[in-house]
Amino acid sequence: MYDRQNIFAKILRNEIPCDKVHEDEHSLFFKDINPQAKIHVLGIPKEPCVDFADFINNYSGDKVSNFFKSVELVISNLKIKDEGYRLITNSGVNGGQEVPHFHIHILAGEKIGRLR
Ligand code: AMP
């Protein structure tokens, strides 16, 4: 069940600010407030989806495709393709998801270490 009071829902409703990187009709990208790399951008679909599985299973192929094309566009705009980047999405307790609105982390700008 989607929690409409989660912090990313509030950002989408412009109730709290964000450091916007890119926005289009179906997605919003903004800088992570607690960056884990020199470049740390979060990308979210505008749909009320809790996590990766919710987004993939409950929204149209067009919406899913549009979102991931926007992820790729932002990667292009950030000019991080050549040096490389890491995409992460956390889900559930074991994944360490803190904000229950599906999001992709884009990490770049330096070598991203191994998880352990
Ligand atoms: P996750 O653990 O995958 O749910 O990641 C949630 C991310 O959201 C964390 O990296 C937080 O630093 C980030 N975050 C939380 N609140 C904000 C905010 N208001 N603006 C930008 N990033 C945020």
Side-chain angles (χ1 to χ4, degrees):
M1 173 97 141
Y2 185 76
D3 171 14
R4 283 180 40 81
Q5 296 310 315
N6 81 73
I7 198 139
F8 294 170
K10 290 180 180 175
I11 287 174
L12 282 172
R13 291 195 299 267
N14 291 314
E15 291 171 9
I16 61 168
C18 71
D19 194 347
K20 194 184 295 183
V21 171
H22 171 84
E23 182 170 18
D24 55 46
E25 60 183 306
H26 49 78
S27 63
L28 175 66
F29 293 77
F30 50 95
K31 293 184 183 173
D32 196 293
I33 206 167
N34 181 23
Q36 301 300 306
K38 283 183 185 158
I39 295 173
H40 188 170
V41 171
L42 300 172
I44 61 176
K46 291 186 173 177
E47 309 301 334
C49 48
V50 175
D51 58 15
F52 176 71
D54 185 13
F55 186 50
I56 297 294
N57 290 324
N58 297 318
Y59 292 89
S60 71
D62 275 356
K63 286 192 167 153
V64 171
S65 166
N66 285 338
F67 174 69
F68 283 100
K69 282 180 190 293
S70 293
V71 172
E72 207 284 328
L73 176 66
V74 168
I75 288 166
S76 280
N77 291 345
L78 290 170
K79 303 192 187 317
I80 56 176
K81 273 191 190 178
D82 289 348
E83 290 192 328
Y85 54 87
R86 183 174 296 170
L87 300 181
I88 294 176
T89 187
N90 297 320
S91 184
V93 173
N94 281 1
Q97 182 176 7
E98 290 173 1
V99 180
H101 182 114
F102 169 56
H103 52 281
I104 292 274
H105 297 254
I106 303 171
L107 296 155
E110 62 187 301
K111 191 154 188 192
I112 311 300
R114 290 185 181 276
L115 288 179
R116 65 161 113 177

